[in-house]
């Protein structure tokens, strides 16, 4: 992943709502990393490139139907104002699903330009003309691409060098080995919940026997994945053959 001493991992954001950034990315580990120039961002306000007194960025769809569509000419002007756009991404529920493998790929791409749509979306010709890669964060519809861009960036930023320190355990966390993560426990070892039920922790975790702990964790990961995500489990079994 990228070194903090070299150029920061950079994201250009084409948006109608620049105030939405850095949002949650300005807090906690990603916020500290932003301060240390591990990553950087620039918002390009699409409205600044609209003409006329009304600064119109959208119009009604050809063929009729509800909602408004963002104009290709205005977005293109905004895009062309970016000196080094790098990899161009359009956040859209129609895009390819975002997963950990794609996040790892994006986190090692030095510069991204993310187009955040609003309304019914953007004119298809703009996406075709500039080869935008469409990415979806899940099978649901947000009111715009900005929260989706923040999610994508958050998942990338935590992988950059110097962000997580020794907190990063990439081999064991969910998805990195194709399985969901095993359960975690901390003190107190004996805890009585609000209903008066005593809850203990699995004995093996205080056995000091590292091999046994490792196999218990793997077993738990496998059980959880089989129960909750049969799609991932099938892939895991296929890879093991
Ligand atoms: N914009 C609106 N919904 C979205 C989604 N599910 N993923 C990415 N961008 C979006």
């Amino acid at each position: 992943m990228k070194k903090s001493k070299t150029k920061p991992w950079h994201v250009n954001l084409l948006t109608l709502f620049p105030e939405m950034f850095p949002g949650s990315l300005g807090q906690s580990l990603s916020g500290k990393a932003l301060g240390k120039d591990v990553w950087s961002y620039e918002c390009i306000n699409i409205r600044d490139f609209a003409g006329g007194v009304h600064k119109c960025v959208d119009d009604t769809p050809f063929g009729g139907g509800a909602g408004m569509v963002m104009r290709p000419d205005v977005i293109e002007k905004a895009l062309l104002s970016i000196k080094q756009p790098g990899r161009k991404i359009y956040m859209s529920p129609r895009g390819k699903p975002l997963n950990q493998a794609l996040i790892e790929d994006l986190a090692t791409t030095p510069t991204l330009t993310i187009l955040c749509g609003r309304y019914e979306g953007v004119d298809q010709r703009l996406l075709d003309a500039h080869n935008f890669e469409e990415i979806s964060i899940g099978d649901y519809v947000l009111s715009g691409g900005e929260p989706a861009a923040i999610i994508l960036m958050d998942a990338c930023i935590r992988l950059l060098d110097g962000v997580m320190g020794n907190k990063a355990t990439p081999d064991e966390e969910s998805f990195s080995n194709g399985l969901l993560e095993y359960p975690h426990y901390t003190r107190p070892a004996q805890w009585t919940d609000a209903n008066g039920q005593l809850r203990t922790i699995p004995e093996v975790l205080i056995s000091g026997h590292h091999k046994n702990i490792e196999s218990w964790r793997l077993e738990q990961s496998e059980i959880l994945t089989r129960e909750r995500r049969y799609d991932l489990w099938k892939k895991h079994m296929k890879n093991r053959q």
Side-chain angles (χ1 to χ4, degrees), residues 91-93 135-138 140-142 144-145 148:
M91 301 312 303
S92 149
I135 297 180
S136 165
I137 62 158
Y140 42 83
V141 183
L142 304 170

Side-chain angles (χ1 to χ4, degrees), residues 70-113:
M70 289 171 72
R71 290 172 58 126
D73 51 344
V74 179
I75 300 175
E76 185 178 64
K77 277 192 194 123
L79 175 64
L80 295 179
S81 76
I82 301 169
K83 275 201 202 93
Q84 285 187 324
R87 190 161 161 183
K88 286 168 283 199
I89 292 163
Y90 171 51
M91 301 312 303
S92 149
R94 241 175 36 176
K96 77 175 136 195
L98 186 59
N99 60 23
Q100 194 62 24
L102 182 51
I103 287 294
E104 283 167 23
D105 186 21
L106 294 168
T108 49
T109 303
T111 308
L112 310 179
T113 289

